[in-house]
């Protein structure tokens, strides 16, 4: 694939996510393939942390993650 046609990627992982290691590997593989990757890792969070209402209410990192995700999308992946 030609690098200029690759879409930017946002990968968000949480410390207690059962898929954390896979997410980190995925971000690294995308980067190695030449994709523009923004990988953000959040401590003390689990899978679905930006959208699970009880997590969002209890942990301020969830709100931070939602703001980061929104900013990344609005920027067209240029963060």
């Amino acid at each position: 694939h030609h690098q200029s046609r690759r879409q930017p990627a946002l990968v968000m992982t949480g410390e207690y996510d059962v898929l954390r290691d896979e997410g980190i590997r995925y971000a690294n593989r995308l980067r190695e393939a030449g994709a523009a990757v923004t990988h953000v890792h959040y401590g003390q969070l689990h899978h679905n942390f930006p959208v699970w209402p009880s997590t969002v209410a209890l942990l301020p990192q969830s709100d931070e993650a939602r703001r980061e995700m929104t900013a990344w999308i609005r920027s067209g992946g240029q963060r």
Side-chain angles (χ1 to χ4, degrees), residues 5-79:
R5 287 188 250 161
R6 286 202 174 94
Q7 296 297 310
L10 173 63
V11 179
M12 302 176 95
T13 53
E15 182 176 358
Y16 302 120
D17 186 344
V18 296
L19 299 175
R20 176 199 62 213
D21 295 341
E22 289 84 349
I24 293 168
R25 278 195 298 273
Y26 181 63
N28 289 335
R29 287 182 180 158
L30 286 171
R31 198 174 287 116
E32 289 168 4
V37 178
T38 301
H39 174 220
V40 185
H41 181 79
Y42 291 94
Q44 301 179 349
L45 294 179
H46 55 75
H47 191 72
N48 283 341
F49 61 85
V51 296
W52 197 323
S54 62
T55 302
V56 172
L58 291 174
L59 299 168
Q61 306 95 304
S62 291
D63 266 341
E64 180 184 339
R66 290 164 54 121
R67 283 191 301 274
E68 177 74 22
M69 186 185 317
T70 301
W72 187 88
I73 291 168
R74 286 183 176 158
S75 76
Q78 301 300 313
R79 294 179 55 86

